[in-house]
Amino acid sequence: MSWMAWTWPTVLIFVAIFSSIALLTLIEIKYPGGAERLGVLKLVTTRGDRLFLGILGSVYIFLAWLGFFGQPLWVPLGLAILWFIFCFRKI
């Protein structure tokens, strides 16, 4: 008996999240300091903050799309990728 349907897309999402956290850990070890900067939201953020905001925003993009339009999910995938790019460059 399992509590969650582990499909390949689900596994890939979790692998991507944990891999990005591991990558940020390695970057922080090599270049300590967190690369703090002041972005368009007028918040001082680090790489980890921007990753968190990117993941959180992507989840909301997908949930909103599913709530309003349903499937397919190619459009919210593109929006989520653009959101990540915006987060890491401007926030």
Side-chain angles (χ1 to χ4, degrees):
M1 182 183 301
S2 66
W3 61 275
M4 184 174 177
W6 285 98
T7 62
W8 281 110
T10 305
V11 171
L12 290 176
I13 290 295
F14 278 94
V15 167
I17 290 171
F18 289 119
S19 296
S20 63
I21 292 170
L23 178 65
L24 282 181
T25 301
L26 294 174
I27 291 171
E28 186 64 29
I29 290 169
K30 186 166 175 122
Y31 305 107
E36 293 182 349
R37 66 177 181 218
L38 184 66
V40 296
L41 297 178
K42 303 301 181 206
L43 298 171
V44 177
T45 60
T46 63
R47 291 182 285 253
D49 297 331
R50 292 186 290 274
L51 175 66
F52 176 75
L53 289 171
I55 292 171
L56 191 64
S58 296
V59 168
Y60 285 129
I61 288 169
F62 277 100
L63 287 176
W65 186 271
L66 282 171
F68 289 117
F69 305 109
Q71 292 185 354
L73 298 176
W74 294 109
V75 173
L77 176 63
L79 293 173
I81 290 170
L82 291 174
W83 172 249
F84 255 94
I85 292 169
F86 174 77
C87 280
F88 272 91
R89 292 192 181 209
K90 300 293 182 182
I91 294 180

